[in-house]
Each structure stands twice: as structure tokens, then as C-alpha cells.
């Protein structure tokens, strides 16, 4: 089956620093990758849709200068949380589009900002 | 607007059967997904329905009625490891997933 990896799985950083999260499709090419954020006891919130070679499409209310997304190749998308603050602490999950209707999820990254 | 509704929490007994319901409203419809999510982990795919009817996969079955905007996930022969959150998600006309808040399923011995 299609495998998506995320790195790191867990990161703790100081307030004001930037954190980069990588999402890779290991055995298939994904022209579209999605970045989600999950708050405790809440549904997954789509942050942005990332298409290879073009700018990401951000959902309403998501700051594009805060959450930088780069989709440099068909197997790699990165999310950089810039100048992180404690309220950015969350579980970030990426998914890669496999077929028209199917997405495969990465294992998620737990970000804690002190 | 787009909306997915499912119960917040359900409790069932090991070995029994449980049905988790989901109603949806999406802009266009390209299918209904069920995912299982254990605490601290990403969701894992369980099922996909785009046509009306019941699809069975081992102990798990999923049902869809497009006219009613309704789906359910049926879990049989419950095991303790089935304790998890079950997420219902509808795919809209732009192929984006609209997520429910998840149903936390608690299995008791």
C-alpha cells in the first residue's frame, strides 16, 4: 500500500523559533499533498492544499506567512511553522493524494512550543 | 454550508456489535470515508463508499444512503483494540475531505 512518512514525529521548541516538518510519499508520486492540524477532541482542520511546483492554497483563517508550505517535488512537501508560539502547539498531519478519491496519511507530528 | 455530524462518544462491550452513525451535508459528493484514529496517531483508512449500499470488510462494514445523506460504520465481534476514535469524512466536489469531530468508542470487557 501507499506509505507516507513525516519527520520529525515529535518536536519541542522554544517560543520564537521556527520548526520544519517534512512529509514524504515513499512509494508513489503525489501531485497534491494536504496539511491538517488537529486540536484535542476536535476534527481535523485542513490548513492548506499543496500542489507540486505551485503555491499552496490556504484555507480561510490560516496565516500563510506563519505556516510556510513548500512542495518542491512529487514526493516531498514541507510545512514550516515560523516564529512558533505556545498556541501553535498541536498535532500536524499531512496526507498525500493517491488517486482521485484517496488520501494516505502520514503518522503526524506532535509540536510543543514552550 | 458543509457539515458532518456523528455522536461524540459510544460505549460497547467486548464481543458485541456497535453501529456508529454519520450524517453529512457537502457541496457536491465524491464519497464518504471512515477512518480509525488511536490517541496520538494519525487516522488510518477503514472504508470508502460512493454508491448506496453496504460494503463489508471483515469485522467492519460501512453503509451509505446518498438520498438521506447518511452513513454508518458497523463493527462486529468487538475487541479491546477497537477502542479508538472513528472519523467520518465526506468528500466534496473539489475532492476535499470534510471531517466530523469523531466518535470516541470505548470498549468494556
Amino acid at each position: 500500500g501507499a506509505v507516507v512518512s513525516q519527520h520529525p514525529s515529535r518536536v519541542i521548541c522554544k517560543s520564537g523559533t521556527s520548526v520544519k516538518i517534512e512529509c514524504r510519499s515513499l512509494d508513489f508520486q503525489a501531485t497534491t499533498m494536504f496539511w491538517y492540524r488537529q486540536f484535542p477532541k476536535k476534527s481535523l482542520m485542513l490548513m492548506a492544499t499543496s500542489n507540486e511546483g505551485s503555491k499552496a492554497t490556504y484555507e480561510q483563517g490560516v496565516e500563510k506567512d506563519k505556516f510556510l508550505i513548500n512542495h518542491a517535488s512529487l514526493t516531498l512537501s514541507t510545512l514550516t511553522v515560523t516564529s512558533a508560539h505556545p498556541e501553535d502547539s498541536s498535532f500536524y498531519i499531512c496526507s498525500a493524494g493517491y488517486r482521485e478519491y484517496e488520501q494516505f496519511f502520514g503518522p503526524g507530528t506532535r509540536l510543543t512550543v514552550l | 454550508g458543509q457539515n458532518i455530524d456523528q455522536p461524540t462518544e459510544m460505549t460497547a462491550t467486548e464481543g458485541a456489535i456497535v453501529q456508529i452513525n454519520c450524517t453529512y451535508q457537502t457541496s457536491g459528493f465524491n464519497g464518504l470515508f471512515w477512518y480509525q484514529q488511536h490517541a496520538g496517531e494519525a487516522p488510518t483508512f477503514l472504508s470508502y463508499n460512493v454508491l448506496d449500499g453496504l460494503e463489508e470488510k471483515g469485522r467492519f462494514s460501512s453503509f451509505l444512503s446518498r438520498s438521506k445523506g447518511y452513513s454508518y460504520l458497523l463493527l462486529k465481534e468487538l475487541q479491546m483494540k477497537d477502542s479508538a476514535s472513528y472519523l467520518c469524512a465526506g468528500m466534496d466536489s473539489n475532492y476535499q475531505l470534510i471531517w466530523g469531530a469523531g466518535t470516541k468508542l470505548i470498549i468494556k470487557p
Side-chain angles (χ1 to χ4, degrees):
Chain A
V3 178
V4 176
S5 70
Q6 263 182 259
H7 178 79
S9 57
R10 189 178 287 253
V11 57
I12 300 172
C13 69
K14 291 183 179 178
S15 189
T17 60
S18 294
V19 175
K20 181 188 280 190
I21 303 169
E22 291 187 349
C23 176
R24 292 181 186 273
S25 56
L26 298 184
D27 49 3
F28 66 101
Q29 293 184 328
T31 53
T32 304
M33 288 185 172
F34 303 86
W35 286 96
Y36 294 88
R37 183 173 175 178
Q38 187 170 36
F39 296 94
K41 299 182 181 179
K42 301 265 184 177
S43 63
L44 290 168
M45 182 192 82
L46 178 65
M47 297 174 66
T49 302
S50 161
N51 294 296
E52 186 265 339
S54 63
K55 289 184 180 179
T57 303
Y58 289 81
E59 296 300 301
Q60 195 171 11
V62 178
E63 300 174 59
K64 56 181 72 175
D65 295 330
K66 172 89 175 157
F67 299 99
L68 300 178
I69 291 172
N70 183 279
H71 194 158
S73 76
L74 288 171
T75 60
L76 174 64
S77 176
T78 60
L79 167 68
T80 301
V81 183
T82 61
S83 187
H85 289 284
E87 58 265 31
D88 298 325
S89 298
S90 194
F91 191 47
Y92 293 88
I93 306 172
C94 76
S95 71
Y98 184 50
R99 286 183 279 253
E100 263 185 4
Y101 58 82
E102 204 162 358
Q103 294 180 27
F104 282 91
F105 286 84
T109 297
R110 173 76 60 192
L111 171 64
T112 303
V113 184
L114 302 176
Chain B
Q2 306 198 92
N3 193 51
I4 305 285
D5 279 318
Q6 55 182 126
T8 305
E9 187 173 296
M10 298 182 72
T11 302
T13 305
E14 190 176 15
I17 296 173
V18 71
Q19 177 175 317
I20 304 173
N21 295 324
C22 169
T23 57
Y24 66 89
Q25 287 179 303
T26 56
S27 300
F29 180 72
N30 277 303
L32 194 291
F33 293 78
W34 283 96
Y35 287 84
Q36 180 190 61
Q37 186 176 28
H38 286 99
E41 298 179 12
T44 54
F45 172 81
L46 288 178
S47 67
Y48 168 69
N49 294 66
V50 68
L51 299 176
D52 289 347
L54 184 69
E55 298 229 355
E56 298 189 63
K57 264 190 203 179
R59 294 190 299 115
F60 291 12
S61 303
S62 57
F63 171 84
L64 176 68
S65 168
R66 288 173 297 171
S67 62
K68 295 181 180 177
Y70 166 71
S71 172
Y72 68 71
L73 179 69
L74 190 71
L75 294 79
K76 296 180 261 190
E77 300 167 23
L78 287 169
Q79 301 174 9
M80 297 304 292
K81 67 178 182 180
D82 297 330
S83 293
S85 281
Y86 290 86
L87 305 173
C88 174
M91 182 166 274
D92 67 13
S93 55
N94 293 319
Y95 295 99
Q96 288 201 343
L97 289 173
I98 311 302
W99 293 88
T103 298
K104 183 178 179 181
L105 179 62
I106 300 167
I107 310 295
K108 295 185 174 177

